[in-house]
Each structure stands twice: as C-alpha cells, then as structure tokens.
Amino acid sequence: TVTAIAPATGSSAGGTAITLTGTNFIAGMTVRIGGVFATEVKVTGLTTATAVTPAGTAGVATVVVTNADAQTATLANAGFTYIDPPAVTSITPVAGPDSGGTAIVIAGSGFATGVTVTVGGTTATGVVLVDSTRITAVVPAGTAGTAGAAPVVVTSADGLASAGTHNFVYTATAGTITAGSVPSHGLGLVVFGGGTTPMLLATVGASGCTASDVTVFAANGKGAFVSYLASAPSFVNAGWGALFPASIPANQPLLIRCS
C-alpha cells in the first residue's frame, strides 16, 4: 500500500524530492506519478521510500507504486499536485550599471503575492507585483568593475523558481579617476573609482600617459608602497597582485608617475 506522499505539491518542471509512506515496500520498487516514472527511487524501509518527481502537467496526478513482483498500489485521495513555477519571458531594460539601482519590468506568467526576485543570486529591492504577468523591481549592485550577464530568477511564495534563462546585463561603471589628474609627466595623486588593473591602465591611457610610461603606487597598509608596471619584472608586480588579487576597490588613492 501507499498511504502518503510528502511534500504533496511541487513544480511541474519536476525535480521535487518526495518521501512515500506505506507498507510492504521492497527494493526494486518503481514509482509513477501521472503515469511517468519517478527517478532516484530508494526504498529506505518496509514503510518508507524516497524519489524525485518527473515533469508533469499542472494539477493532481495519480501516484502508483509497483514492487518488483508486480504488486501495485495507488495513493488514495489527492495524489501529487503539480504547480507551474513562475516563468520569465522578458526583462526591460536588459542592461544597467554594476552599481545597481536600475528599475526593471519583468514579464512572464504565474506571478502571485509573495514573489521574490534575485539578480545574479542577489535579492532585488522594491519588488512590486503588478499582476500575474508583470513584476517591477530594482536591480541590486553587481560586482564593481565587472560587466556580465546575471540570471534573473522569480521565486513564488511556496518556493518554486523560474528557470533563470533570462539575464540582466551589468555594465562596468568603475574604472574612472574620481579625483586628481593623471600627470602628463612626473608624479601625481589620483583617486581611482575602482575596477581591475587593466581598467586603471585604460583610464590612464585615455588621459595621455600610455601604459608603457606609467608606474602606479599604492600603500599596502604596512607602511610601504607596492607598485605596478605593465612591463615590470614579476617581483615588482607581486606585491600589487597580493594587495589587489581581483580588483582595485572603489575610491582607492594611488600615486601615478608618468615618465
């Protein structure tokens, strides 16, 4: 017999881990939901088994278990209820600065009270459910100085998530000199807006001092400077790499020498 299933609801896309309760479960037992075989069926005892639901159609689906000796039982009453997860069909606008703050409209289906939105795994703010096909939200900040696509995922109040196949594209806004000026020759103090070392060199280059002519110094917090030269031996840039392994933080004071 099969007497219960938990949880009793899940995504029509499949993939819900379920636990079946009943009697006389035997290793090799199969489970069908709505006529489709579940996967990863494991008999954990005479009265319990686990499985993963297949994809199905929204609505109630009959649950049938069959032992290896062909004895079959059907779950009485409700069965397993498939629910369509939210679906995203478009995002407007599709791009904005990595500093966040872009107001977007998400179009799709299956939106309901309690939905949440993430962009690249970070929770969006100002989420407003307009109706079952539209949500407005404000994009969170991305990684400073990094451009790239971030999946937009809508999750319902019962934990069902959209596929994440539509992206918001972050555009890098870091990489500017926010104070001071790059010297045409000699030494100057600047404040860098943040970003990667190549972005810094590109900004310096746009000011007229080419990468081959520039040396950049930063205080390492230990009473000493580290330096970066585009064509320098590795020992010169090693300290720079240790201080800025991924990118230079925003509002970083730097000494720049153009020779």
Side-chain angles (χ1 to χ4, degrees):
T1 67
V2 54
T3 56
I5 184 171
T9 61
S11 172
S12 59
T16 301
I18 56 173
T19 298
L20 299 159
T21 304
T23 59
N24 298 322
F25 292 168
I26 299 173
M29 181 181 80
T30 61
V31 177
R32 284 173 291 163
I33 302 177
V36 182
F37 284 105
T39 59
E40 300 181 37
V41 178
K42 296 178 182 178
V43 175
T44 55
L46 283 175
T47 60
T48 57
T50 60
V52 175
T53 62
T57 302
V60 179
T62 302
V63 178
V64 177
V65 298
T66 304
N67 277 337
D69 59 5
Q71 294 185 77
T72 296
T74 301
L75 177 62
N77 303 320
F80 182 83
T81 301
Y82 281 115
I83 301 172
D84 286 336
V88 175
T89 56
S90 67
I91 301 161
T92 308
V94 296
D98 59 18
S99 56
T102 301
I104 59 173
V105 177
I106 304 168
S109 61
F111 302 158
T113 301
V115 292
T116 58
V117 176
T118 59
V119 181
T122 302
T123 302
T125 58
V127 176
V128 176
L129 176 68
V130 179
D131 54 39
S132 62
T133 64
R134 282 189 305 159
I135 297 170
T136 60
V138 178
V139 172
T143 302
T146 302
V152 175
V153 176
V154 175
T155 303
S156 66
D158 52 11
L160 300 183
S162 62
T165 53
H166 287 74
N167 298 317
F168 179 82
V169 179
Y170 281 113
T171 55
T173 55
T176 58
I177 300 296
T178 57
S181 60
V182 177
S184 58
H185 63 277
L187 194 67
L189 175 65
V190 303
V191 177
F192 183 56
T196 63
T197 298
M199 291 172 68
L200 169 64
L201 295 178
T203 303
V204 171
S207 301
C209 183
T210 63
S212 60
D213 294 330
V214 69
T215 307
V216 186
F217 301 88
N220 66 1
K222 300 178 181 179
F225 283 105
V226 295
S227 59
Y228 182 89
L229 290 87
S231 58
S234 60
F235 74 87
V236 175
N237 292 333
W240 183 273
L243 186 60
F244 306 122
S247 64
I248 305 163
N251 301 319
Q252 174 67 44
L254 300 170
L255 282 170
I256 292 181
R257 183 177 67 199
C258 187
S259 59

